[in-house]
């Protein structure tokens, strides 16, 4: 059974070039096929969620888009340029991997960590930088944590700080790999409100991996269901229909959904 | 070596006046200058070595230096001249091996460390009359530092300072998360290899003074002590460098006062400082938990 792939409807004002264009992306990891023939594009000012079961290749997809792992086939263009030749446009990217920090005993304060996202040459001098760090921390509601060492933060607090790291400088394209995992309901709602604001007011584009189907259906513009390849893509009400979820996650998911 | 025996006999002094006299000897001034330079260099590189989990790496490079020294003597070249390129190439090859295999990096390092040690000891045994100097390579002699050694150490220190401080934020990001650093356009591989080049050179220039077995202390102990004391990276880096230099001065004074060998005296001071700080930090945190 192949579910119909609905044509995506974009808002009328979005006639710009795509922020991201992926064509026929195929990636092998240690000789097993991780994703095959994935094609999609993202238009400016949209928030797209990638959903799919564990091992579907979601993180692989984002790592391949960012050219962090080699691909076997396909073409990736970010801001209309091949990803290998982004040049200074790489400062327009914000990336939060699943595990940003391996070493919790790293001696670095929250403000210093956020400041790493500030690229002097691109955005201005030291004083403007300090103001930008304070503002970014306020926007994610973590300003009171600024002098703490990162090792003392809770999981949710750390996620806020990492988002502050991304937004300390004006960027265009955010890639979040389960950035909200472990964040409580209120925290997740705050996050989506902030993403919404960045999207509406500053034209940011967001590609995020999420396991929270409810949050995705409420807040994202588009959903890409992935299970090795694109199972379906479209607005949340279409892409997250029971039929498409079944096709993406397999029978186990529908059982899970019925029981809870 | 004769000169060193002579200097050791001069070290058999235990009062302050004699210590001042001792400081007027050029070999002692060179030794203190060298020890301080190595303390600064160890503190600077060590702050990244400890965070990037490279402490075992520098340990392995240090042991490989034994092969370098033995080869130098065998080929009748100056061991110091042989040491620099040898540790440099060794460090780069080991990093390349770690990148190219799925084996855990500590396994690779154990393998090359054991291999280097075996080859080094066997090569040394081929050298008639040289075996006595094995102790010298293993433990070094700070008092044998000459002007060339000082200049080499200073050059590595200047090179490391320029490289690390001019790219400090990029280095921190790279240490925290290489993937994120790469996305931000940081030349991750180039910086990793450049750091290993500096680290290998630092180990090579320090070996004559502190020996294969203790060289790693300069990289690991002051930085670890600084890590216990600091919650901000800038402070951590400064503390690590300062502790490195202070330990060297204090160690040289201890060695002069008690007629101890200089290298082990410095490391002993680094170690005691670590123990004091460790105890202090734990006591403070236990106390503040009780008060809550």
């Amino acid at each position: 059974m192949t579910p119909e792939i609905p044509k995506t409807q974009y808002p009328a004002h979005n006639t710009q070039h795509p922020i991201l264009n992926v064509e026929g992306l195929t990636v092998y990891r240690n000789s097993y096929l991780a994703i095959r023939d994935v094609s999609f594009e993202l238009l400016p000012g949209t928030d797209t969620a990638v959903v799919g079961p564990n091992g579907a290749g979601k993180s692989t997809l984002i790592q391949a888009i960012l050219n962090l792992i080699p691909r076997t086939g396909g073409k990736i263009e970010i801001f209309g340029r091949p990803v290998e030749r982004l040049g200074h446009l790489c400062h327009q990217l914000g990336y939060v991997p699943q595990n940003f920090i391996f070493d919790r005993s790293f001696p670095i304060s929250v403000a210093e960590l956020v400041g790493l996202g500030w690229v002097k040459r691109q955005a201005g001098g030291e004083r403007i930088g300090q103001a930008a760090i304070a503002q970014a921390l306020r926007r994610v509601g973590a300003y009171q944590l600024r002098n703490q060492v990162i090792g003392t933060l809770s999981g949710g607090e750390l996620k806020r700080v990492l988002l502050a790291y991304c937004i300390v400088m004006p960027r265009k394209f955010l890639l979040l790999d389960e950035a909200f995992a472990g964040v409580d309901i209120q925290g997740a709602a705050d996050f989506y409100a902030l993403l919404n604001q960045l999207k509406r007011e500053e034209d940011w584009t967001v590609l995020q991996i999420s396991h929270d189907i409810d949050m995705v259906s409420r807040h994202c513009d588009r959903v890409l269901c992935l299970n090795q390849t694109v199972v379906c893509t479209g607005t949340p009400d279409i892409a997250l229909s029971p039929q498409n979820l079944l096709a993406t996650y397999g029978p186990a998911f529908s059982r899970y959904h019925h029981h809870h | 070596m004769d000169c060193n025996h002579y200097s050791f006999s001069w070290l058999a002094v235990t009062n302050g006046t004699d210590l001042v006299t001792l400081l007027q000897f050029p070999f002692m001034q060179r030794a203190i200058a060298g020890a301080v330079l190595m303390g600064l260099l160890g503190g600077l590189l060590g702050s990244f070595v400890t965070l990037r989990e490279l402490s075992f790496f520098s340990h392995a490079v240090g042991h490989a230096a034994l092969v370098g020294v033995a080869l130098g003597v065998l080929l009748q070249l100056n061991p110091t001249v042989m040491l620099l390129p040898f540790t440099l190439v060794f460090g780069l090859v080991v990093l390349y091996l770690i990148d190219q295999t799925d084996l855990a990096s500590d396994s690779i390092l154990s393998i090359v460390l054991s291999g280097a040690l075996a080859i080094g000891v066997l090569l040394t045994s081929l050298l008639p009359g040289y075996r006595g100097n094995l102790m010298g390579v293993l433990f070094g002699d700070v008092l044998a530092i000459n002007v060339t050694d000082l200049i080499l150490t200073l050059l590595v220190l200047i090179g490391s300072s320029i490289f690390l401080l001019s790219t400090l934020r990029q280095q921190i990001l790279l240490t925290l998360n290489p993937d994120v650093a790469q996305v931000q356009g940081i030349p991750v591989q180039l910086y990793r290899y450049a750091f290993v080049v500096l680290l290998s050179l630092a180990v090579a220039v320090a070996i004559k003074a502190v020996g294969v077995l203790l060289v790693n202390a300069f990289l690991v102990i002051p930085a670890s002590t600084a890590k216990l004391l600091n919650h901000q990276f800038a402070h951590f880096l400064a503390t690590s460098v300062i502790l490195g230099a202070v330990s060297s001065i204090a160690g040289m004074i201890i060695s002069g006062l008690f007629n101890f060998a200089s290298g082990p005296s410095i490391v002993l001071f680094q170690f005691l400082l670590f123990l004091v700080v460790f105890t202090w930090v734990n006591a403070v945190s236990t106390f503040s938990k009780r008060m809550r």
Side-chain angles (χ1 to χ4, degrees):
Chain A
M1 179 193 70
T2 318
E4 250 179 72
I5 298 176
K7 286 266 181 287
T8 317
Q9 304 268 307
Y10 291 111
H13 69 272
N14 266 332
T15 50
Q16 302 101 314
H17 293 294
I19 290 287
L20 171 71
N21 185 23
V22 176
E23 269 181 48
L25 178 64
T26 297
V27 179
Y28 280 83
R29 293 201 101 153
N30 297 329
S31 80
Y32 76 87
L33 182 64
I35 49 177
R36 96 185 124 79
D37 199 23
V38 169
S39 302
F40 66 99
E41 60 175 41
L42 300 182
L43 290 184
T46 56
D47 182 353
T48 304
V50 180
V51 301
N54 292 334
K58 303 186 296 293
S59 293
T60 300
L61 174 64
I62 284 198
Q63 285 163 1
I65 287 172
L66 291 168
N67 204 29
L68 291 171
I69 51 172
R71 57 180 186 271
T72 322
K75 198 178 80 174
I76 296 161
E77 281 181 354
I78 301 180
F79 309 125
R81 282 211 211 167
V83 64
E84 297 83 6
R85 287 186 274 120
L86 274 184
H88 69 277
L89 285 176
C90 68
H91 298 303
Q92 302 287 325
L93 293 174
Y95 168 49
V96 180
Q98 240 180 83
N99 300 306
F100 185 99
I101 286 152
F102 297 102
D103 177 8
R104 297 273 273 179
S105 73
F106 204 106
I108 187 169
S109 71
V110 164
E112 280 182 311
L113 175 60
V114 173
L116 295 180
W118 177 262
V119 183
K120 255 190 255 179
R121 222 175 322 143
Q122 300 289 318
E126 195 64 41
R127 193 175 301 171
I128 309 172
Q130 291 304 322
I133 292 167
Q135 199 203 353
L137 281 169
R138 282 200 191 91
R139 283 182 90 171
V140 300
Y143 183 68
Q144 73 285 359
L145 303 173
R146 65 193 178 283
N147 292 324
Q148 281 199 34
V149 65
I150 52 165
T152 61
L153 302 180
S154 73
E157 286 171 339
L158 187 57
K159 299 284 184 182
R160 283 170 191 268
V161 170
L162 291 178
L163 193 60
Y165 158 86
C166 284
I167 66 171
V168 69
M169 205 176 82
R171 296 182 209 274
K172 284 281 166 255
F173 186 16
L174 265 189
L175 298 104
L176 310 171
D177 191 345
E178 296 193 39
F180 311 143
V183 175
D184 59 25
I185 296 175
Q186 184 55 47
D190 290 347
F191 268 132
Y192 278 104
L194 179 60
L195 288 186
N196 210 21
Q197 193 189 9
L198 292 169
K199 194 171 71 177
R200 291 268 159 79
E201 295 170 11
E202 298 167 32
D203 215 26
W204 289 45
T205 306
V206 181
L207 180 65
Q208 57 172 311
I209 292 174
S210 180
H211 281 294
D212 191 335
I213 301 287
D214 289 334
M215 276 292 178
V216 166
S217 63
R218 236 176 290 162
H219 296 282
C220 294
D221 305 310
R222 282 182 74 207
V223 176
L224 191 132
C225 298
L226 189 77
N227 197 345
Q228 236 184 42
T229 190
V230 180
V231 178
C232 67
T233 170
T235 52
D237 54 324
I238 297 168
L240 297 176
S241 68
Q243 187 193 10
N244 280 332
L245 283 176
L246 182 69
T248 310
Y249 285 87
F253 183 79
S254 62
R255 277 204 303 278
Y256 171 84
H257 230 53
H258 288 167
H259 283 305
H260 294 260
Chain B
M1 282 308 277
D2 286 346
C3 161
N4 295 332
H5 288 145
Y6 174 71
S7 54
F8 273 121
S9 69
W10 271 100
L11 278 172
V13 288
T14 46
N15 68 61
T17 327
D18 285 349
L19 190 67
V20 173
T21 321
L22 193 62
L23 290 178
Q24 287 164 356
F25 284 94
F27 75 84
M28 196 64 190
Q29 292 165 357
R30 281 198 302 273
I32 291 177
V36 170
L37 287 177
M38 277 170 223
L40 293 169
L41 182 58
L44 177 67
L45 294 177
S47 51
F48 288 96
V49 165
T50 49
L51 292 175
R52 292 183 188 173
E53 296 178 353
L54 285 173
S55 47
F56 204 42
F57 182 91
S58 47
H59 195 57
V61 170
H63 281 72
L66 190 62
V67 185
V69 173
L71 270 181
V73 176
L74 207 60
L75 302 173
Q76 295 183 331
L77 295 164
N78 180 347
T80 319
V81 174
M82 191 67 199
L83 203 54
L84 283 171
F86 187 82
T87 50
L88 183 65
V89 170
F90 184 84
L92 290 173
V93 168
V94 171
L95 183 62
Y96 179 78
L97 280 179
I98 291 174
D99 282 353
Q100 292 302 312
T101 69
D102 288 336
L103 287 173
S105 64
D106 61 341
S107 305
I108 299 252
L109 289 169
S110 278
I111 292 166
V112 294
L113 188 153
S114 316
L117 203 56
I119 295 169
V121 171
L122 289 178
L123 278 181
T124 312
S125 71
L126 292 178
L127 303 166
Y130 188 71
R131 210 171 305 178
N133 259 4
L134 191 58
M135 283 297 277
V137 181
L138 290 180
F139 293 102
D141 185 358
V142 180
L143 300 175
I145 289 178
N146 60 34
V147 177
T148 315
D149 299 326
L150 280 183
I151 293 172
L152 281 175
T153 313
L154 186 64
L155 286 177
V156 178
L157 177 61
I158 292 172
S160 305
S161 305
I162 292 174
F163 172 64
L164 290 174
L165 299 181
S166 69
T167 57
L168 189 58
R169 276 189 228 209
Q170 297 179 320
Q171 299 293 344
I172 301 172
L173 191 57
L174 161 60
T175 312
L176 270 170
N177 192 306
D179 278 356
V180 174
Q182 194 174 328
V183 171
Q184 297 304 301
I186 297 170
V188 172
Q189 284 304 75
L190 180 71
Y191 281 8
R192 283 180 72 222
Y193 277 83
F195 186 78
V196 159
V197 166
L198 290 168
L199 185 58
S200 304
L201 291 178
V203 169
V205 296
I207 279 200
K208 185 174 174 187
V210 289
V212 167
L213 292 180
L214 291 179
V215 66
N216 221 29
F218 281 70
L219 290 161
V220 176
I221 303 180
S224 300
T225 311
K227 198 174 168 190
L228 292 176
L229 285 170
N230 290 286
H231 292 169
Q232 283 193 31
F233 193 87
H235 298 170
F236 158 68
L237 186 61
T239 311
S240 176
V241 171
I242 291 168
L243 288 185
V246 167
S247 300
S248 291
I249 295 170
M252 289 304 288
I253 292 173
I254 292 173
S255 108
L257 284 178
F258 297 100
N259 190 25
F260 288 168
S262 308
S265 299
I266 297 172
V267 174
L268 178 68
F269 186 83
Q270 292 171 344
F271 177 63
L272 291 177
L273 196 61
F274 174 81
L275 281 186
V276 169
V277 168
F278 180 83
T279 314
W280 167 256
V281 168
N282 274 356
V284 166
S285 96
T286 315
F287 183 71
S288 61
K289 264 180 211 155
R290 284 224 187 111
M291 291 300 280
R292 246 178 253 155

